[in-house]
Amino acid sequence: MTPRSLGSVAPAGTDAEGAFRIGGVRAGDTVALRVTRPGSIPASVSAPAGGPALTVVLRATGHVRGRVTAEGGRPAAGAFVQVALAKAVLEERYEVVGVWQQAPRVPVDAEGRFEAPLPVDAEGERRPVIVRAGASGFAPGATAALDVPATGALEGVTVPLAKGYEVRGRVVDDAGEPVAGAEIELQNGDLPPALGNGRDWSSTGIAMHPFEIVAVSDATGRFAIRDLPPFAYALRATAADHGWGSGEMRVPGGDEPTIVLARERSLAGRVRYADGTPVANAVVVALDPASGAGVGQGLVGPDGRFEIEGLAAGTYVVEARAPGHVAVDLLPSRSCLLYTSDA
């Protein structure tokens, strides 16, 4: 329950009898309440503080009931199901990871049966849903969009799970040395969105990026991704002090992927006037010599010195820029002379 008065927000809960009390509100203030409970349609009411006791009635959203099966129709041990609005899953492709993060996980029983609450839209109305299931050793499975009856439960839903595959790979730097702690993601955008847009396979539970990072390399640079369905996957990896790297793998039967991450390096130098006076507060940009695109930049200090970090090994054109000056390129192993513009 979330009461709001004079712009403040103060969550409160109910006791075993359903009673609640909200303190810290002045008599006569109007308090807006939004009452929520899993399995119920949220309700909103407003009332003056100090008035008679309120009674808020919650309507049940209803349930979806069914079974999760493995190959041969047997129950999938340790499986869970999630239910989400089909519109959110199918139309919000770039937010679908968050959709499944927020959907409660409901465990199935020993027979693979489940009963999960039906979600409702912002108006408290029933809409078509998708039911998703997962279990260790199996690739995630999901239904198509299911129409929900106007009243009662959605019955007889079956979510089949097929065998999940494991892929192992390795992350190395540009010298062939293993990279520990690299974070590996799946990058396919054309996977069925009900399966988390290709990002919720192993559920590693890393605090900063739950369900996006599917593996982390160990001290030898090796990683494993489990419970994958057959597909050709694109991988992306990164690690501290390294640039991005990519790789591909096919499940099942593909070669073990090796992802190469270039170690990041820095480029340092000086910017000065023709008389040797340092130029402060200029911007130095590293440009790709082939495309001319900027790949990094740094600020010039009071002594005219700069450092551009996060660059891969290679050759760059370095350009110094400052208001009222003509931009010039810095040649390797030389200071950059910056001239005042007459324009």
Side-chain angles (χ1 to χ4, degrees):
M1 174 186 313
T2 305
R4 294 179 174 85
S5 175
L6 300 177
S8 63
V9 178
T14 59
D15 62 19
E17 301 298 321
F20 63 89
R21 179 182 294 275
I22 301 169
V25 182
R26 293 177 301 183
D29 282 351
T30 298
V31 180
L33 300 177
R34 179 171 173 80
V35 186
T36 61
R37 177 181 179 273
S40 299
I41 298 173
S44 297
V45 296
S46 296
L54 291 175
T55 297
V56 182
V57 179
L58 295 180
R59 293 188 296 125
T61 61
H63 292 83
V64 52
R65 301 188 181 98
R67 191 164 180 260
V68 179
T69 62
E71 295 176 1
R74 58 186 175 85
F80 66 87
V81 297
Q82 296 173 281
V83 186
L85 294 173
K87 178 180 176 65
V89 173
L90 297 174
E91 296 184 11
E92 299 176 16
R93 289 189 63 87
Y94 297 102
E95 303 297 331
V96 71
V97 174
V99 171
W100 290 124
Q101 281 180 313
Q102 297 170 24
R105 292 191 173 194
V106 178
V108 306
D109 64 19
E111 298 299 320
R113 301 188 183 281
F114 65 86
E115 180 179 274
L118 280 168
V120 293
D121 65 12
E123 287 73 40
E125 299 296 328
R126 293 184 172 198
R127 302 296 182 193
V129 298
I130 286 176
V131 182
R132 180 174 183 267
S136 179
F138 297 90
T143 66
L146 304 173
D147 290 328
V148 177
T151 59
L154 173 60
E155 303 276 4
V157 176
T158 299
V159 186
L161 295 182
K163 174 185 176 181
Y165 293 89
E166 177 180 290
V167 169
R168 296 181 178 273
R170 192 164 181 251
V171 183
V172 300
D173 63 20
D174 44 7
E177 296 297 319
V179 177
E183 298 173 343
I184 297 94
E185 298 176 298
L186 297 175
Q187 291 299 298
N188 296 87
D190 55 351
L191 289 173
L195 298 185
N197 218 22
R199 294 188 172 199
D200 183 4
W201 303 119
S202 61
S203 304
T204 54
I206 299 171
M208 290 181 61
H209 302 282
F211 308 112
E212 292 192 335
I213 300 169
V214 294
V216 176
S217 62
D218 63 18
T220 67
R222 297 193 174 278
F223 65 88
I225 306 176
R226 300 176 178 85
D227 301 339
L228 289 170
F231 202 77
Y233 297 92
L235 301 175
R236 185 176 71 168
T238 189
D241 301 321
H242 293 74
W244 291 100
S246 60
E248 297 180 351
M249 63 183 185
R250 181 173 294 279
V251 178
D255 295 332
E256 181 178 292
T258 297
I259 303 176
V260 179
L261 304 184
R263 283 185 290 185
E264 293 182 341
R265 294 166 170 83
S266 62
L267 187 154
R270 296 176 58 224
V271 180
R272 63 182 176 84
Y273 291 109
D275 63 3
T277 304
V279 179
N281 303 318
V283 175
V284 179
V285 182
L287 306 173
D288 181 285
S291 66
V295 294
Q297 69 177 33
L299 294 177
V300 178
D303 60 354
R305 296 186 181 278
F306 68 88
E307 183 175 12
I308 303 174
E309 299 179 329
L311 297 175
T315 300
Y316 299 93
V317 173
V318 181
E319 187 174 89
R321 303 169 181 171
H325 296 74
V326 177
V328 296
D329 293 341
L330 172 63
L331 301 177
S333 304
R334 293 182 59 183
S335 296
C336 182
L337 304 179
L338 208 61
Y339 298 91
T340 303
S341 173
D342 294 328

